[in-house]
Amino acid sequence: QVQLVESGGGSVQTGGSLRLSCAASINTRATYCMGWFRQAPGKEREGVAASRGDGTTQYANSVKGRFTISKDNAKNTLYLQMNSLKPEDTAMYYCAAESPVCRWGWGCSCLVPSYNYWGQGTQVTVSS
């Protein structure tokens, strides 16, 4: 059974930083898409950042320049460094692995919230 365990969420003030971690029980090197998603109350889940198997990354326009996704394949761990946080970043953040709609990266996006495996989520709250 695949497990994804997020940690690192919390409450910060506007402009603050947080680093999320996602410990995976799968071989992250062999998983083409791994991503971070978020969902605020009353809103749909949206892609925040994704790490692709070709070494590239994808970001939502709303977080470009502020968030950085990285992956440590030796530890099977995905990270999301979040800087310059804004109140609109407040949401439950989820780690996800293995996208059935983007297995090999040919003309597809890893930011589509269609994944086989999801973590339980970690709450991020940014106050003004």
Side-chain angles (χ1 to χ4, degrees):
Q1 184 177 356
V2 175
Q3 287 190 317
L4 301 174
V5 181
E6 302 101 332
S7 60
S11 297
V12 297
Q13 292 188 326
T14 296
S17 298
L18 286 172
R19 189 192 194 204
L20 305 183
S21 298
C22 171
S25 65
I26 56 172
N27 182 348
T28 56
R29 187 186 304 274
T31 304
Y32 190 85
C33 285
M34 290 198 70
W36 288 98
F37 294 78
R38 66 186 181 188
Q39 189 167 19
K43 294 188 176 181
E44 294 187 353
R45 189 168 297 189
E46 63 173 351
V48 175
S51 174
R52 299 169 66 96
D54 60 5
T56 61
T57 54
Q58 292 180 263
Y59 294 95
N61 288 333
S62 59
V63 306
K64 281 182 180 177
R66 300 188 298 122
F67 290 11
T68 303
I69 189 170
S70 61
K71 188 172 65 167
D72 186 337
N73 290 324
K75 296 182 179 180
N76 288 327
T77 301
L78 187 71
Y79 302 99
L80 184 67
Q81 178 67 43
M82 305 186 294
N83 298 329
S84 302
L85 283 162
K86 305 175 181 180
E88 50 264 44
D89 294 319
T90 295
M92 185 71 78
Y93 283 70
Y94 299 89
C95 172
E98 191 177 289
S99 170
V101 301
C102 193
R103 288 189 177 278
W104 312 115
W106 296 331
C108 58
S109 172
C110 292
L111 285 179
V112 176
S114 176
Y115 274 71
N116 289 333
Y117 307 112
W118 293 89
Q120 81 288 349
T122 185
Q123 178 68 37
V124 171
T125 302
V126 185
S127 58
S128 56

